[in-house]
Amino acid sequence: MRTEAAKRVELVFSLFDANGNGVIDSDDFDLMTGRVLQAAAASDDGAKGALQAAFRRYWTTLAAELDANGDGVITVDEFRPFVLDPTRFGDTIAEFAEALSALGDPDGDGLIERPLFVSLMTAIGFEEANIHALFDAFGPDSEDRVTVATWSAGIKDYYAPDLAGIPGDQLVARAL
């Protein structure tokens, strides 16, 4: 795993531990889902439902794949070596990427405006300066928007263990 990917893993673990108790459990995903849906007030029920389903699948996949001792929680040691394995998590990441990026496009024009992008990413727990750096790395248009496809691809790239120098690395540039 590349150094950049290892940093991304550490950040993801800290974000998924939404209640800050040092492990990831289903309550963490409920907390994060609630925060993200609150930030997406303008999105329709279909987009919100897709995000809820994506978060639910994310948790069940993590629990099934990584909870080595079956105690209902995932420690950083269980999480770290496997979470970027595309054969185990590729489909789950793809579903999450599609759902989150679609949530950022409530008017359905295929574009995500910076304020909503920032709100959604802040709700997940990323640092605001890093969020803006990521948005800038996506190359927004003259009206300060990025495409849904760009964000979705960026999420998928973030979870790729062999990639470095990607826009998503902006999220760990100052965070860790």
Side-chain angles (χ1 to χ4, degrees):
M1 178 183 317
R2 298 185 65 110
T3 301
E4 297 86 344
K7 289 179 182 179
R8 294 190 305 257
V9 167
E10 297 300 320
L11 180 58
V12 168
F13 185 87
S14 72
L15 297 174
F16 283 171
D17 181 16
N19 63 14
N21 68 353
V23 295
I24 302 171
D25 58 34
S26 64
D27 290 342
D28 291 311
F29 278 80
D30 292 341
L31 286 169
M32 188 178 291
T33 300
R35 290 192 319 235
V36 172
L37 291 176
Q38 186 175 13
S43 295
D44 66 36
D45 289 343
K48 290 176 182 178
L51 184 78
Q52 286 177 305
F55 267 129
R56 194 173 313 111
R57 179 178 180 185
Y58 212 141
W59 165 247
T60 58
T61 302
L62 285 174
E65 293 288 330
L66 303 183
D67 185 10
N69 61 6
D71 64 355
V73 300
I74 298 169
T75 66
V76 70
D77 291 332
E78 291 171 317
F79 186 81
R80 192 179 286 130
F82 303 109
V83 74
L84 297 187
D85 182 344
T87 59
R88 291 172 129 175
F89 296 102
D91 291 342
T92 300
I93 297 302
E95 179 182 348
F96 175 74
E98 297 299 322
L100 182 59
S101 58
L103 198 67
D105 181 24
D107 61 7
D109 66 356
L111 299 166
I112 300 164
E113 290 78 18
R114 185 184 298 259
L116 183 52
F117 182 87
V118 171
S119 292
L120 293 170
M121 295 293 282
T122 300
I124 291 171
F126 291 103
E127 297 290 327
E128 188 169 345
N130 295 6
I131 297 167
H132 285 287
L134 173 62
F135 195 84
D136 291 339
F138 283 152
D141 67 14
S142 62
E143 295 181 43
D144 211 24
R145 304 170 303 183
V146 297
T147 67
V148 170
T150 296
W151 191 15
S152 179
I155 294 167
K156 293 170 193 170
D157 287 350
Y158 189 85
Y159 288 90
D162 56 339
L163 294 181
I166 60 170
D169 286 336
Q170 298 299 315
L171 293 172
V172 296
R174 293 174 216 102
L176 295 177

